[in-house]
Amino acid sequence: MGKKNKDFVEKITSMEDDFGQWYTDVVKQAELVDYGPVRGTMIIKPYGFAIWENIQGEFDRQFKETGHTNVYFPLFIPESMLQKEKDHIEGFAPEVAWVTHGGDEELEERIVVRPTSEVLFGEYYSKNIHSYRDLPKLYNQWANVVRWEKTTRPFLRSSEFLWQEGHTCHATKEEAEAETNQMLNVYADICENFLAIPVLKGKKTEKEKFAGAEYTLTIESLMHDGRALQSGTSHYLGTGFAEAFDIQYLDKGGKQQYVHQTSWGVSTRIMGALIMVHGDNRGLVVPPRVAPTQAMIVPIAQHKEGVLDKAYKLRDQLKDIVRVNIDTSDKMPGWKFNEYEMKGIPIRIEMGPRDIEKNQVVLVRRDTGEKDFVPMDELQERLPALLEEIQQNLYDKAFAHRKEMTSTAKTMDEFKQTLEEKGGFIKAMWCGKLECEEKIKEETSATSRCIPFEQEQIADTCVCCGEEAKEMVYWSKAY
Amino acid sequence: MGKKNKDFVEKITSMEDDFGQWYTDVVKQAELVDYGPVRGTMIIKPYGFAIWENIQGEFDRQFKETGHTNVYFPLFIPESMLQKEKDHIEGFAPEVAWVTHGGDEELEERIVVRPTSEVLFGEYYSKNIHSYRDLPKLYNQWANVVRWEKTTRPFLRSSEFLWQEGHTCHATKEEAEAETNQMLNVYADICENFLAIPVLKGKKTEKEKFAGAEYTLTIESLMHDGRALQSGTSHYLGTGFAEAFDIQYLDKGGKQQYVHQTSWGVSTRIMGALIMVHGDNRGLVVPPRVAPTQAMIVPIAQHKEGVLDKAYKLRDQLKDIVRVNIDTSDKMPGWKFNEYEMKGIPIRIEMGPRDIEKNQVVLVRRDTGEKDFVPMDELQERLPALLEEIQQNLYDKAFAHRKEMTSTAKTMDEFKQTLEEKGGFIKAMWCGKLECEEKIKEETSATSRCIPFEQEQIADTCVCCGEEAKEMVYWSKAY
Ligand SMILES: [Zn+2]
Ligand SMILES: [Zn+2]
């Protein structure tokens, strides 16, 4: 290994040695986030935010395409309002931040910094929905929310995070359930086709569902270390909030009816998935569709006559075709190679005096490290094709990894052994009882990730109690 | 006046009768905002947010064009950190919201919900800037901020509002001052050319500058009722925060230097300006460039054969040329006319069976109320031209209004009389002393809006004390 590789070994911990440390190193070295001064808060740095902006843009586009409009609801919720839905307050009270003073004065009523906004939307809908003509309401907001977490990690679990939360009202259960499904599919589509992250689609168990929902649908992805990450959830709320907040409409027959609601959210946690699904020991790997910079031009021997000119010219030729950038700083090419590998930029374009002579460049793929000499006139065609190839390869790799890391278990012994030796997803049958779910968690520290839509009959009996099995569940240790 | 007009008279207060009530009525009837449950907070509804998104998009585009990158810093600031810059904490402490508890536990140190983020950026820059190679830093963030205001009004003064805050660091005073200027010009450009709001550019007095700045540049606009609105500010911070937070860099000569900083912000207040500059007694008037819907098709007698078909066909023909929408609900055309006038949509396209026969439509301008019969084949050409005409007309009207509402005063009597009888901007000379500025405010309730870059020598002496005048100042009652 040359010096270039050695530099890296010093820079970040290898993921095989300590995956947690590898994650922290990548997040820091790729300049994604920094720690905020209040425990568990994060500063999203320019590169991290540029990736988030692209993710946001794609979600926003698809939300609008499916008929949703953006709104902005307040950060602050009066304590009494949060308490209106009993399950909801029980779920969230232990982890909220409380505002008690405004300026010098103590407030008459304590205020909650929103951990999620169901109650605010509930109160609003109650005042603004009167008739079937007012339905459906299809709202979304991009916002910051606060959850006072005990242990925190950038993107994965932070006291404050950014997200979108959709809140919709419908006349019927059928419509609301169709919406719940539709938004899960939007999430899955973006994860798979934009972020190159394969996901499992399914339903959460009663234990793991959102506080206040009838049921929660989820997409679950598998990280490189074999732990799962919940990557987006879509809740069918039924009429629970509608009853608590009195959201009724006059139907076509002149009868008062409660609306059926949904809510759904994706957060900056998805950045954690991006890092842990695609990253490697050289740093971050960003799929081309989401990459702020898809190709980085690094001039070689740039002090030599004509090199910089030619490099800028190339940048200008390519800039309408791919998101291209150029580094003409006086740092060494080796430093630049490392830097942009660490940042996971999909393609590096090297170009020195000898390449210019031959009217070619060197293309280096971030995902495989492969080098290729390409005639300059072919670049306009080759680059977009190569980006697509990288995108597909990242998806395929992640898919193969998940496949390899998915096992089945028919007994608890098998369950424990597989989890310990291999990790990953374990498919096992479940009787549907909370006590088995809790026992599995206690004994293995795996949680139920989802009851997948695509069921398989692995056995007839519950992996835990041996009684009649109701459904197959994906279990895993999780972030 | 027909029934259509009468409906409106009942709907909103006329601005001549009660401008404040007119504002509140428009904000509510045009469905821009609603009140949040915590005092002074606002819910930005779909139409209000769509306008804000367009404004945001244009600012964001120009920030990026001028080399800035977006980041996201935390909502929470530890009390001790806010106290590091003395003037800053004095300015903001009376109006901050305090978080004192997380879950069930009392916090060891109280937390401030950010009223602005200079200190967070200061702390970050202190850790991340080491050498002249790290400069400049050109960061912006879009965020919510909280100021615990005593009296609040939607958009104009709310406990929580949305804004962008730019925070930059530079090696030299010259560079930082150039940045301060540049961003003021970006603000002015967007106000004038995108929002059709003419602005005055100038400097704030010492009394009115940002807490912690060396000086503040401002753009000031004039509302329909003759009161001013500060529409964006750009601060040169000097080295004050750099000294408080120890932000130093090693210059090319190997010497430690403090960085020179700027910060600049525009908020949802600008929505208030948009309403109060262009609105009229029929409601909101949205300039075409910022309008989410630029033209609304209202089919007439839509139950008749072929009308809806033709209307949808027209919508499809136009949708790549202008932002067009269609209302095919079963509401009466008159109701629709009122509704879209209230919402300030620039052009209404009416189209009934007789129009279809003649292969024409009726175009109605929101700004002037003018009607015009236009052959359908000419629409693709006429619509963009008409939108430009409306945009220009709105600017011209606002400019003429400001001109008419700008007076000069050489004595306090003249000052008071003009302000009382006419309102608007008063240009008057000032000696530069705080006591005169305070006296003018006390006696007239006008504040200094700015010391304009374009100075005029109206008199040789201060309008208040009669001593030698230093500069001309724009004074006005303000929001
Ligand atoms: Zn069981
Ligand atoms: Zn004076």
Side-chain angles (χ1 to χ4, degrees):
Chain A
M1 278 213 268
K3 185 173 179 308
K4 193 177 78 182
N5 286 324
K6 196 154 172 297
D7 279 351
F8 265 105
V9 177
E10 289 165 3
K11 251 186 167 177
I12 62 170
T13 309
S14 94
M15 46 165 77
E16 291 76 19
D17 287 350
D18 182 346
F19 193 78
Q21 191 58 46
W22 170 85
Y23 179 80
T24 310
D25 288 353
V26 169
V27 155
K28 193 176 180 326
Q29 295 297 329
E31 300 189 86
L32 300 177
V33 299
D34 205 340
Y35 298 100
V38 168
R39 190 179 55 85
T41 61
M42 59 178 168
I43 292 165
I44 308 181
K45 297 171 76 166
Y47 189 53
F49 202 82
I51 296 173
W52 173 243
E53 269 184 319
N54 285 352
I55 295 175
Q56 223 184 344
E58 180 62 16
F59 277 100
D60 200 65
R61 194 182 65 73
Q62 293 210 23
F63 295 159
K64 284 174 176 151
E65 225 173 66
T66 46
H68 301 83
T69 52
N70 284 336
V71 294
Y72 185 77
F73 275 57
L75 176 68
F76 289 155
I77 307 174
E79 181 169 13
S80 56
M81 186 176 285
L82 193 69
Q83 284 171 336
K84 281 196 179 177
E85 213 288 337
K86 206 172 55 69
D87 294 337
H88 193 64
I89 178 75
E90 267 177 31
F92 283 103
E95 56 178 47
V96 296
W98 296 98
V99 174
T100 58
H101 291 72
D104 293 334
E105 283 168 34
E106 187 167 353
L107 304 178
E108 279 174 32
E109 182 182 6
R110 295 200 303 173
I111 289 170
V112 171
V113 183
R114 67 177 161 219
T116 182
S117 307
E118 274 73 10
V119 299
L120 289 166
F121 282 81
E123 179 82 3
Y124 173 88
Y125 287 140
S126 159
K127 288 193 300 183
N128 287 275
I129 291 172
H130 309 292
S131 136
Y132 69 91
R133 288 160 181 265
D134 300 325
L135 294 174
K137 291 276 189 215
L138 305 172
Y139 288 1
N140 175 63
Q141 80 171 357
W142 291 95
N144 54 343
V145 287
V146 169
R147 298 185 187 170
W148 207 255
E149 303 275 4
K150 295 250 150 61
T151 51
T152 62
R153 297 182 79 181
F155 294 129
L156 298 175
R157 199 169 290 277
S158 48
S159 306
E160 180 194 6
F161 56 89
L162 302 182
W163 79 346
Q164 62 67 220
E165 44 181 325
H167 296 273
T168 70
C169 292
H170 307 264
T172 65
K173 184 173 193 288
E174 290 65 37
E175 270 182 50
E177 291 196 280
E179 166 82 3
T180 312
N181 252 303
Q182 173 185 248
M183 298 325 287
L184 191 79
N185 286 333
V186 164
Y187 287 170
D189 176 64
I190 293 174
C191 277
E192 303 207 318
N193 296 314
F194 191 69
L195 302 174
I197 298 175
V199 294
L200 295 173
K201 292 195 272 188
K203 199 176 187 170
K204 286 283 184 191
T205 61
E206 280 296 299
K207 177 177 184 295
E208 299 285 336
K209 77 177 185 186
F210 178 73
E214 287 251 318
Y215 60 76
T216 290
L217 304 183
T218 182
I219 49 170
E220 302 281 329
S221 54
L222 195 68
M223 305 300 102
H224 202 89
D225 66 340
R227 295 175 82 172
L229 186 98
Q230 175 182 306
S231 305
T233 48
S234 182
H235 318 294
Y236 171 59
L237 301 179
T239 56
F241 284 91
E243 285 164 38
F245 286 89
D246 193 29
I247 317 173
Q248 296 195 59
Y249 72 96
L250 210 60
D251 70 12
K252 286 183 185 171
K255 220 182 117 192
Q256 288 287 340
Q257 302 269 14
Y258 287 114
V259 300
H260 293 258
Q261 291 185 278
T262 84
S263 69
W264 26 277
V266 155
S267 75
T268 36
R269 281 201 105 191
I270 201 89
M271 296 282 293
L274 195 75
I275 299 163
M276 294 193 289
V277 168
H278 301 304
D280 63 21
N281 282 335
R282 306 180 75 74
L284 193 64
V285 177
V286 187
R289 291 196 190 143
V290 69
T293 297
Q294 297 174 314
M296 176 63 81
I297 301 173
V298 178
I300 312 293
Q302 63 182 34
H303 57 280
K304 295 221 171 133
E305 209 195 312
V307 173
L308 276 182
D309 272 4
K310 194 77 185 169
Y312 279 119
K313 213 169 273 170
L314 183 65
R315 193 260 322 258
D316 293 342
Q317 277 166 20
L318 297 178
K319 72 171 193 273
D320 295 331
I321 297 161
V322 297
R323 294 190 289 272
V324 66
N325 214 331
I326 185 168
D327 184 346
T328 59
S329 70
D330 56 8
K331 285 161 180 150
M332 298 295 291
W335 184 93
K336 293 177 189 177
F337 295 172
N338 287 355
E339 173 73 2
Y340 302 118
E341 283 179 2
M342 181 63 76
K343 290 200 159 149
I345 290 172
I347 297 173
R348 179 171 79 232
I349 305 176
E350 300 173 19
M351 187 175 160
R354 291 177 55 189
D355 299 308
I356 292 170
E357 241 169 63
K358 294 182 191 163
N359 205 36
Q360 68 177 24
V361 299
V362 184
L363 291 192
V364 187
R365 285 174 67 152
R366 174 62 182 88
D367 60 337
T368 60
E370 279 173 82
K371 280 189 176 204
D372 205 358
F373 295 88
V374 176
M376 280 203 207
D377 342 331
E378 288 179 21
L379 273 180
Q380 308 212 357
E381 217 168 285
R382 285 285 291 278
L383 277 181
L386 185 54
L387 288 171
E388 278 309 292
E389 205 180 315
I390 295 172
Q391 180 83 25
Q392 187 62 44
N393 178 49
L394 288 175
Y395 180 83
D396 292 345
K397 263 166 75 177
F399 189 86
H401 177 254
R402 187 186 73 185
K403 196 172 170 195
E404 194 217 312
M405 296 292 280
T406 300
S407 314
T408 57
K410 291 183 188 170
T411 65
M412 280 306 281
D413 282 347
E414 204 182 349
F415 193 116
K416 286 178 203 170
Q417 198 186 347
T418 307
L419 199 67
E420 205 170 299
E421 288 173 5
K422 188 175 169 189
F425 282 124
I426 295 180
K427 298 192 280 190
M429 302 307 291
W430 178 50
C431 62
K433 275 187 297 203
L434 177 61
E435 49 188 283
C436 284
E437 192 179 358
E438 282 176 339
K439 196 175 165 198
I440 290 173
K441 187 176 178 185
E442 211 183 282
E443 291 187 5
T444 70
S445 73
T447 50
S448 70
R449 301 318 307 156
C450 71
I451 306 160
F453 295 152
E454 285 183 31
Q455 283 286 312
E456 295 165 52
Q457 189 73 8
I458 287 165
D460 296 328
T461 55
C462 173
V463 70
C464 183
C465 67
E467 286 178 30
E468 193 186 350
K470 270 195 168 152
E471 37 212 358
M472 184 191 81
V473 171
Y474 275 92
W475 311 82
S476 177
K477 292 187 190 176
Y479 282 97
Chain B
M1 279 214 270
K3 185 173 178 308
K4 192 178 79 184
N5 287 324
K6 194 152 173 298
D7 278 350
F8 265 105
V9 176
E10 290 166 1
K11 250 186 167 178
I12 62 171
T13 308
S14 95
M15 45 165 76
E16 291 76 19
D17 287 350
D18 182 346
F19 193 78
Q21 190 57 49
W22 169 85
Y23 179 80
T24 310
D25 288 353
V26 169
V27 155
K28 191 172 178 332
Q29 295 297 331
E31 299 189 88
L32 301 176
V33 300
D34 205 338
Y35 298 100
V38 168
R39 192 180 52 86
T41 61
M42 59 178 168
I43 292 165
I44 308 182
K45 296 171 78 167
Y47 190 52
F49 202 82
I51 296 173
W52 173 243
E53 269 184 318
N54 285 352
I55 294 175
Q56 224 185 341
E58 180 62 17
F59 277 100
D60 200 66
R61 196 183 64 73
Q62 293 211 22
F63 295 159
K64 284 175 176 152
E65 224 173 67
T66 46
H68 301 84
T69 51
N70 283 336
V71 293
Y72 185 76
F73 275 57
L75 176 69
F76 289 155
I77 307 174
E79 181 170 14
S80 55
M81 185 176 286
L82 193 69
Q83 283 170 336
K84 281 195 178 178
E85 213 288 338
K86 206 172 56 68
D87 293 337
H88 192 64
I89 178 75
E90 268 176 32
F92 282 102
E95 55 178 49
V96 298
W98 295 97
V99 174
T100 58
H101 292 72
D104 293 335
E105 284 168 32
E106 186 167 354
L107 304 177
E108 279 174 34
E109 181 181 7
R110 294 200 303 173
I111 289 169
V112 172
V113 183
R114 66 178 162 220
T116 181
S117 307
E118 274 73 11
V119 299
L120 290 166
F121 281 82
E123 180 82 4
Y124 173 87
Y125 286 140
S126 158
K127 288 192 300 182
N128 286 276
I129 291 173
H130 309 292
S131 135
Y132 68 92
R133 287 160 182 266
D134 300 324
L135 296 173
K137 290 276 188 215
L138 305 172
Y139 287 1
N140 175 63
Q141 80 171 355
W142 291 95
N144 54 342
V145 287
V146 168
R147 297 183 188 173
W148 207 254
E149 302 276 4
K150 295 251 150 60
T151 51
T152 62
R153 297 182 78 183
F155 294 129
L156 298 175
R157 199 169 289 278
S158 48
S159 304
E160 180 194 5
F161 56 89
L162 303 182
W163 80 347
Q164 62 67 219
E165 44 181 324
H167 296 273
T168 70
C169 292
H170 307 263
T172 65
K173 183 174 193 288
E174 291 66 37
E175 270 182 51
E177 291 196 281
E179 167 82 2
T180 312
N181 252 303
Q182 172 185 249
M183 298 326 288
L184 192 79
N185 286 333
V186 164
Y187 288 170
D189 176 63
I190 293 174
C191 277
E192 302 206 320
N193 296 315
F194 190 69
L195 303 174
I197 298 174
V199 294
L200 295 173
K201 292 194 273 188
K203 199 176 187 170
K204 286 283 183 190
T205 61
E206 280 296 300
K207 177 176 185 296
E208 299 285 336
K209 76 177 186 186
F210 177 74
E214 287 252 318
Y215 61 78
T216 289
L217 304 183
T218 182
I219 49 170
E220 301 281 328
S221 53
L222 194 67
M223 305 301 101
H224 202 91
D225 67 339
R227 296 176 82 170
L229 187 101
Q230 175 182 305
S231 304
T233 48
S234 182
H235 318 293
Y236 170 59
L237 301 178
T239 57
F241 284 90
E243 285 163 38
F245 286 88
D246 193 29
I247 317 172
Q248 296 194 61
Y249 72 97
L250 210 61
D251 72 12
K252 286 184 183 171
K255 221 182 115 191
Q256 288 287 339
Q257 302 270 12
Y258 286 114
V259 300
H260 293 258
Q261 291 185 278
T262 84
S263 70
W264 27 276
V266 156
S267 75
T268 36
R269 278 203 106 190
I270 201 90
M271 296 282 293
L274 195 74
I275 299 163
M276 293 193 290
V277 167
H278 300 305
D280 63 22
N281 283 335
R282 306 180 73 75
L284 192 65
V285 177
V286 186
R289 290 194 192 146
V290 69
T293 297
Q294 296 174 314
M296 177 61 84
I297 300 173
V298 178
I300 312 292
Q302 64 182 33
H303 58 280
K304 294 220 172 131
E305 209 195 314
V307 173
L308 277 182
D309 272 4
K310 194 78 186 171
Y312 280 118
K313 214 170 272 171
L314 183 66
R315 193 261 321 259
D316 293 341
Q317 276 166 21
L318 297 178
K319 72 171 193 276
D320 294 331
I321 297 161
V322 297
R323 295 190 288 271
V324 65
N325 214 329
I326 186 168
D327 184 346
T328 58
S329 70
D330 55 8
K331 285 162 181 150
M332 298 295 291
W335 184 92
K336 294 177 187 176
F337 295 172
N338 287 356
E339 174 72 4
Y340 302 118
E341 282 178 3
M342 182 63 76
K343 290 200 159 150
I345 291 173
I347 296 173
R348 179 171 78 232
I349 304 176
E350 299 172 19
M351 188 175 160
R354 290 177 56 190
D355 300 309
I356 292 170
E357 241 170 62
K358 295 183 191 162
N359 206 35
Q360 68 178 22
V361 299
V362 186
L363 292 191
V364 187
R365 285 173 67 153
R366 174 61 182 88
D367 60 336
T368 60
E370 278 172 84
K371 280 191 174 202
D372 206 359
F373 294 89
V374 176
M376 279 203 206
D377 341 331
E378 287 178 23
L379 273 179
Q380 308 211 357
E381 217 168 285
R382 285 286 290 279
L383 277 180
L386 184 56
L387 288 170
E388 278 309 292
E389 206 180 314
I390 295 172
Q391 179 84 24
Q392 187 63 44
N393 178 50
L394 288 174
Y395 180 84
D396 292 344
K397 264 166 74 175
F399 189 87
H401 176 254
R402 187 186 74 186
K403 196 172 170 195
E404 194 216 312
M405 295 293 280
T406 301
S407 314
T408 57
K410 290 181 188 170
T411 66
M412 280 305 281
D413 282 345
E414 204 183 348
F415 193 117
K416 287 178 204 170
Q417 198 186 345
T418 308
L419 199 67
E420 204 169 299
E421 288 172 5
K422 188 174 168 188
F425 282 124
I426 295 180
K427 299 191 281 191
M429 302 307 292
W430 178 49
C431 61
K433 277 187 297 206
L434 176 62
E435 48 188 283
C436 285
E437 192 180 357
E438 282 176 339
K439 197 174 165 198
I440 290 172
K441 187 177 178 185
E442 210 183 284
E443 291 188 5
T444 70
S445 75
T447 49
S448 70
R449 303 317 307 158
C450 71
I451 306 161
F453 296 152
E454 286 183 30
Q455 283 285 313
E456 295 166 51
Q457 189 73 9
I458 287 165
D460 296 329
T461 55
C462 173
V463 70
C464 182
C465 67
E467 286 179 29
E468 193 186 350
K470 272 194 165 152
E471 38 211 358
M472 184 191 82
V473 171
Y474 275 93
W475 311 82
S476 176
K477 292 186 188 174
Y479 282 97

